[in-house]
Amino acid sequence: MYVNQDSAGVPGAGGAIVLCGGANGLTGTGATGVNQDTTAVPGAGETDDVFGRTTHLVDDNGDGRAEPVVGAPGENADAGSV
């Protein structure tokens, strides 16, 4: 879920909220908010990065569970980053 937020006072830095789910659907319990100022997320929140505007779920490590892939299409003067 994309959140067009100001991160630490940086306009349009963006963010994403990761919701947990299971056989009964999604739940807000255990939801986690991330942005480029979150530990282990590369880069830094900059004006108009719009981190989180693009997202995709993929089983990248083959464990049968989807991991979120989050993009920042405004990163590096609109060059983008995933």
Side-chain angles (χ1 to χ4, degrees):
M1 172 182 196
Y2 169 66
V3 180
N4 189 15
Q5 67 179 19
D6 294 351
S7 178
V10 180
I17 298 173
V18 180
L19 301 173
C20 297
N24 294 323
L26 294 175
T27 177
T29 302
T32 303
V34 294
N35 60 48
Q36 284 186 288
D37 295 321
T38 302
T39 301
V41 175
E46 301 163 323
T47 299
D48 297 327
D49 275 353
V50 291
F51 177 85
R53 179 166 289 168
T54 56
T55 59
H56 185 71
L57 293 173
V58 62
D59 182 8
D60 188 54
N61 60 8
D63 67 356
R65 297 173 53 183
E67 291 80 40
V69 176
V70 180
E75 179 76 12
N76 298 326
D78 291 333
S81 178
V82 176

